[in-house]
């Protein structure tokens, strides 16, 4: 493909994609220039697929045929829109109407009323897009979206990820063309260094510096690798980019290949991401067909190709040397550094390795310039960061915010606050390698340095919100259980240390620990941090240390008072029936799986604490709030 052919594809498809990016008034005008009267976008990402979006799409297509308008309405299966808790999501353009939690039953009404008659079905819209007077507001004006800035996610929920021409219509592969035609490898390095882009996979190492190390190595063979082995519990950022915009990663890897002098790239993605893998394969095949991968790209003499390598879900393979070993067909274990992969990486050759989100920023930086990107964010943390927002939060989903946005803005505005009238207690960032940020630091601007100073880390971008029903000892143990299972076992500090830490937490949760155990935990954690072979072992104690730092009183309560303040740890919880409130309805007694409750009809009941297994079923079944947990 030539640059001129690329421009023709963009021109041909520009309006059909652009109508989805603009505000409603402009969209009405632009829609007149497309071949379709309306465009219907339905999320085909993992979240909405699990909520039934495939059935919604099938029903929509059948209803369009039933009304004879299938040629007037373009139906597009896109990537993630971000508001995962409202899936399946469907947006109708040019109006921009956001239909939330779409069902096959509601589709018939939407087709007949909206797509045929032109009447918006307001009771099926996302309620935050409907004013009290019934008027419709743009999705971008809602609290969830208005403080976001989508760079890495700019095409997710906008384009058909299985149609390369839609990617091209949004300036896709223009950055690769610019690099090959107008820039030297050093120009690319200088641009990335000036932009301030740091790796989005955890450590935050400057991307331009990493690429420069590999470029300066003299070797006939070099490699470009992408880490899509997203293993943090609750994290789905990279998966969503691959599902919604796989070409952004392919284009960036080709740019990286040109910059460091590599001809081959590998995407290491976990096999548990079937939709992401399928769309990535389609995208690679399309890029080859269009001459954007392979030999002599844009007639410049530059050749580059990409292959996929599937991982088996080992968390340790997120560490770069373990990932490289796995690509080579070896056991996924880390090895000491130096030498770093930029010097001695895949198959012993100079290699650069970045994660999906890092690559997703590259093309935009090349096209819009380093100054544009560096104007976003904070002094030392430039650009935006994608977070998978989960836990005890109203708007569970995917968000991309400028660095420096406060935790309060994320929780209370973008996230919609804590549901069920509960209070914000902490936010866990960085997954098993991160830590918990307490409510007293809710006004902290989110960036690399601030999170590190608080005892946590950016990590790949998991952001789990915890409310006041959460036991912080239990949360620490949850993450430690994970690292115990995921330790590769190669080094003793991690293999033995994680298990020993876990034993200390088990004692605390069971009420058999002593205060001296807290000192032992800190001593062991420091040893692990200094002596473990890779970051998995070095950072495994972080969830324990951060919760001990900010919630030490909960640890002490478990140890000295033999109580769990949140009422979570079963060994320290007891259930009692208040005789003054008990009506003798017998619901609790009938539901008890171990017959621990006794009593007669219309008389107060009692719980045999020796028999009680503390399942909590009685408390949930009681309609009179007569059962308390302490």
């Amino acid at each position: 493909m030539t640059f001129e052919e690329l421009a023709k594809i963009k021109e041909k498809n520009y309006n059909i994609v652009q109508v989805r990016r603009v505000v409603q008034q402009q969209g009405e005008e632009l829609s007149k220039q497309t071949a379709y009267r309306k465009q219907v976008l339905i999320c085909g990402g993992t979240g909405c697929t699990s909520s039934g979006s495939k059935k919604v799409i099938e029903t929509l297509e059948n209803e369009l045929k039933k009304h004879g308008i299938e040629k007037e309405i373009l139906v597009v299966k896109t990537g993630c829109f971000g508001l995962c808790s409202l899936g399946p999501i469907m947006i109708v353009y040019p109006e921009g109407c956001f239909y939330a939690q779409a069902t096959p039953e509601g589709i018939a009404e939407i087709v007949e009323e909206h797509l045929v008659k032109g009447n918006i079905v307001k009771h099926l819209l996302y309620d935050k897009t409907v004013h009290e007077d019934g008027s419709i507001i743009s999705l971008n004006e809602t609290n969830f979206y208005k403080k976001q800035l989508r760079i890495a996610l700019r095409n997710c929920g906008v384009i058909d990820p299985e149609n390369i021409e839609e990617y091209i219509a949004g300036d896709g592969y223009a950055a690769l063309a610019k690099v090959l035609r107008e820039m030297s490898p050093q120009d690319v390095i200088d641009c990335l260094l000036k932009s301030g882009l740091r790796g989005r996979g955890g450590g935050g190492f400057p991307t331009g510096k990493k690429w420069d190390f590999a470029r300066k190595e003299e070797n006939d063979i070099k490699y470009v690798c992408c880490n899509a082995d997203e293993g943090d519990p609750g994290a789905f950022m990279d998966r969503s980019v691959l599902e919604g915009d796989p070409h952004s990663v392919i284009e960036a890897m080709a740019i990286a290949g040109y910059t460091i002098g590599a001809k081959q790239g590998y995407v290491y993605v976990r096999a548990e991401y079937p939709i992401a893998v399928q769309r990535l394969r389609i995208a690679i095949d399309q890029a080859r067909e269009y001459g954007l991968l392979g030999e002599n790209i844009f007639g410049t003499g530059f050749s580059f190709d990409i292959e996929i390598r599937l991982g088996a879900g080992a968390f340790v393979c997120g560490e770069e040397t373990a990932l490289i070993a796995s690509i080579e067909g070896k056991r996924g274990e880390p090895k000491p550094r130096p030498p770093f992969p930029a010097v001695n990486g895949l198959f012993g050759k100079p290699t650069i390795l970045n994660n999906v989100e890092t690559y997703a920023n590259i093309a935009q930086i090349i096209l819009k310039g380093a100054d544009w990107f560096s104007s976003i964010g904070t002094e030392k943390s430039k650009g935006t960061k994608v977070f998978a927002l989960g836990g005890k939060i109203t708007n569970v989903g995917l968000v991309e915010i400028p660095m420096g946005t406060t935790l309060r803005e994320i929780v209370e505005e973008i996230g919609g606050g804590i549901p069920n009238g509960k209070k914000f207690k902490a936010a866990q960032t960085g997954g098993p390698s991160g830590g918990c940020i307490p409510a007293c630091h809710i006004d902290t601007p989110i960036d690399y340095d601030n999170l590190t100073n608080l005892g946590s880390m950016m990590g790949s971008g998991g952001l789990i919100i915890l409310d006041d029903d959460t036991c912080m000892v239990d949360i620490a143990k949850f993450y430690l259980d994970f690292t115990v299972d995921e330790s590769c076992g190669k080094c003793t500090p991690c293999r033995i240390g994680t298990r020993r830490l876990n034993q200390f937490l088990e004692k605390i949760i069971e009420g058999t620990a002593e205060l001296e155990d807290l000192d032992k935990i800190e001593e062991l954690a420091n040893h692990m941090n200094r002596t473990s072979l890779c970051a998995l072992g070095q950072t495994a104690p972080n969830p324990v240390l951060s919760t001990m730092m900010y919630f030490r009183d909960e640890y002490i309560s478990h140890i000295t008072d033999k109580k769990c303040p949140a009422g979570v740890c079963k060994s320290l919880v007891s259930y009692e029936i208040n005789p003054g409130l008990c009506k003798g309805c017998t619901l609790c007694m009938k539901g008890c799986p171990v017959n621990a409750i006794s009593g007669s009809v219309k008389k107060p009941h009692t719980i045999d604490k020796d028999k009680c297994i503390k399942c909590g079923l009685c408390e949930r079944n009681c309609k009179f709030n007569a059962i308390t947990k302490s």
Side-chain angles (χ1 to χ4, degrees):
M1 174 182 287
T2 65
F3 182 76
E4 289 71 24
E5 290 171 329
L6 187 76
K8 287 181 180 179
I9 292 174
K10 175 183 176 180
E11 183 179 354
K12 181 179 73 171
N13 295 278
Y14 178 78
N15 288 331
I16 202 169
V17 173
Q18 186 67 4
V19 71
R20 306 170 196 161
R21 296 188 187 275
V22 297
V23 296
Q24 295 170 24
Q25 293 80 3
Q26 293 172 302
E28 290 281 3
E29 188 63 32
L30 275 171
S31 65
K32 298 175 184 177
Q33 304 172 34
T34 72
Y36 299 94
R37 182 163 57 82
K38 294 188 187 297
Q39 301 180 36
V40 179
L41 275 61
I42 301 180
C43 176
T46 296
C48 285
T49 297
S50 66
S51 300
S53 65
K54 283 187 177 180
K55 186 63 177 177
V56 169
I57 294 172
E58 291 174 7
T59 305
L60 174 62
E61 291 173 342
N62 291 334
E63 287 292 322
L64 293 177
K65 291 178 182 177
K66 174 182 173 181
H67 289 274
I69 58 173
E70 68 272 20
K71 293 184 179 180
E72 302 175 31
I73 310 296
L74 176 65
V75 178
V76 180
K77 184 167 65 174
T78 73
C80 181
F81 291 102
L83 267 169
C84 304
S85 57
L86 297 180
I89 290 170
M90 182 172 110
I91 300 183
V92 178
Y93 288 98
E95 299 93 330
C97 292
F98 187 108
Y99 290 106
Q101 296 176 323
T103 63
E105 295 74 23
I107 289 298
E109 183 178 0
I110 292 172
V111 171
E112 183 170 351
E113 290 298 321
H114 189 168
L115 302 184
V116 174
K117 300 178 182 178
N119 301 319
I120 296 172
V121 187
K122 294 181 179 179
H123 71 93
L124 295 179
L125 292 175
Y126 172 39
D127 58 4
K128 298 297 189 295
T129 62
V130 184
H131 283 306
E132 291 183 2
D133 61 4
S135 60
I136 309 298
I137 67 170
S138 167
L139 189 63
N140 290 330
E141 296 177 35
T142 62
N143 285 338
F144 182 78
Y145 285 103
K146 67 184 180 183
K147 287 199 171 181
Q148 293 193 49
L149 177 60
R150 292 190 149 209
I151 299 175
L153 300 179
R154 69 187 189 91
N155 284 328
C156 294
V158 175
I159 67 170
D160 177 355
E162 298 182 14
N163 184 343
I164 189 174
E165 295 195 353
E166 291 210 354
Y167 178 72
I168 292 172
D171 290 329
Y173 291 103
L176 177 60
K178 179 180 178 180
V179 164
L180 296 183
R181 287 158 54 97
E182 302 175 15
M183 300 176 71
S184 68
Q186 187 60 52
D187 290 338
V188 178
I189 297 291
D190 292 341
C191 181
L192 293 181
L193 289 173
K194 187 177 180 182
S195 74
L197 176 66
R198 296 170 65 174
R200 299 308 198 236
F205 191 80
T207 304
K209 187 176 293 187
K210 178 183 287 189
W211 289 23
D212 196 31
F213 288 153
R215 184 187 68 83
K216 290 177 178 177
E217 286 297 310
E218 295 185 5
N219 204 302
D220 293 339
I221 300 176
K222 298 181 182 181
Y223 294 102
V224 173
C225 293
C226 174
N227 180 0
D229 190 61
E230 189 172 49
D232 290 8
F236 50 94
M237 303 76 57
D238 291 351
R239 184 194 73 198
S240 296
V241 173
L242 290 179
E243 290 178 351
D245 193 17
H247 286 284
S248 66
V249 176
I250 294 170
E251 181 178 13
M253 290 180 68
I255 292 171
Y258 167 77
T259 304
I260 72 167
K263 295 184 178 180
Q264 182 64 50
Y266 292 92
V267 179
Y268 186 86
V269 57
R270 54 182 46 220
E272 296 95 327
Y273 284 178
I275 297 176
V277 172
Q278 177 193 17
R279 292 184 177 173
L280 184 59
R281 282 177 172 154
I282 291 171
I284 290 173
D285 289 342
Q286 289 177 340
R288 288 174 182 154
E289 180 185 349
Y290 280 65
L292 298 166
L293 284 178
E295 300 294 324
N296 195 26
I297 299 172
F298 286 122
T300 61
F302 170 67
S303 301
F304 186 80
D305 208 348
I306 292 174
E307 293 182 20
I308 297 173
R309 290 290 184 269
L310 298 182
F315 180 66
V316 72
C317 286
E319 195 276 337
E320 59 182 6
T321 60
L323 183 152
I324 287 171
S326 186
I327 292 178
E328 293 174 341
K330 302 173 184 175
R331 180 184 175 94
E333 291 180 333
K335 61 182 181 181
R337 299 173 300 173
F340 292 94
V343 176
N344 187 328
L346 186 62
F347 304 117
K349 304 297 182 180
T351 303
I352 59 169
L353 175 64
N354 290 109
N355 82 327
V356 169
E357 185 186 343
T358 308
Y359 283 123
N361 282 280
I362 298 295
Q364 289 296 289
I365 292 174
I366 297 296
L367 290 178
K368 295 185 177 181
D371 291 339
W372 163 77
F373 190 82
S374 65
S375 69
I376 304 165
T378 63
E379 182 181 356
K380 295 182 179 180
S381 299
K382 303 297 184 181
T384 60
K385 182 71 189 79
V386 179
F387 287 102
L389 189 59
K392 303 296 183 67
I393 193 74
T394 299
N395 296 330
V396 174
L398 200 66
V399 304
E400 183 173 3
I401 49 96
M403 295 281 195
T405 302
T406 66
L407 183 58
R408 183 186 298 277
E409 290 174 289
I410 297 173
V411 173
E412 297 181 358
E413 298 181 43
I414 298 173
I418 313 298
N420 304 319
K422 299 294 182 179
K423 294 181 179 179
F424 170 74
K425 185 173 185 177
Q428 207 283 341
T429 71
S433 300
C436 292
I437 304 170
C440 62
H441 291 297
I442 194 171
D443 291 309
T444 298
I446 300 297
D447 65 16
Y448 288 99
D449 297 330
N450 283 338
L451 292 185
T452 300
N453 292 337
L454 291 175
S456 187
M457 64 183 297
M458 186 78 73
S460 58
L463 182 58
I464 309 300
I465 306 304
L466 311 173
D467 67 11
D468 49 8
D469 283 342
T470 305
C471 171
M472 303 311 292
V473 183
D474 182 65
I475 281 293
K477 189 175 187 307
F478 168 81
Y479 283 106
L480 199 56
D481 284 340
F482 181 85
T483 51
V484 167
D485 289 341
E486 294 296 337
S487 173
C488 73
K490 185 174 182 177
C491 73
T492 303
C494 179
R495 182 181 69 251
I496 304 299
T498 53
R499 293 184 180 277
R500 187 71 181 117
L501 273 182
N502 212 21
Q503 290 170 358
F504 280 124
L505 291 188
E506 285 176 359
K507 287 176 62 179
I508 294 172
I509 284 174
E510 291 171 1
T512 60
E514 300 175 350
L515 286 176
E516 291 78 5
D517 289 333
L518 298 182
D519 296 328
K520 294 176 182 178
I521 287 174
E522 291 177 335
E523 182 181 5
L524 176 57
N526 289 330
H527 282 302
M528 290 176 62
N529 179 261
R530 292 196 308 269
T531 61
S532 292
L533 178 58
C534 80
L536 187 149
Q538 294 164 7
T539 60
N542 283 355
V544 183
L545 294 176
S546 70
T547 51
M548 284 178 59
M549 180 191 306
Y550 295 115
F551 302 95
R552 198 177 188 89
D553 57 326
E554 289 194 29
Y555 281 83
I556 293 174
S557 181
H558 280 69
I559 296 171
T560 59
D561 301 332
K562 310 301 180 187
K563 287 189 177 296
C564 173
V568 172
C569 302
K570 285 186 177 182
S571 297
L572 305 179
V573 168
S574 64
Y575 290 88
E576 295 182 359
I577 298 177
N578 186 331
L581 296 177
C582 180
K583 306 299 181 183
C585 70
T586 74
L587 278 178
C588 61
M589 184 170 64
K590 291 177 180 178
C592 181
V594 292
N595 299 317
I597 301 176
S598 59
S600 55
V601 178
K602 295 186 179 181
K603 291 186 178 180
H605 289 33
T606 58
I607 298 176
D608 185 337
K609 294 184 179 180
D610 291 332
K611 290 184 178 180
C612 179
I613 60 172
K614 304 172 182 179
C615 65
L617 191 60
C618 57
E619 183 187 28
R620 293 193 293 272
N621 287 342
C622 182
K623 297 180 179 180
F624 306 102
N625 296 321
I627 301 177
T628 58
K629 179 171 61 175
S630 61

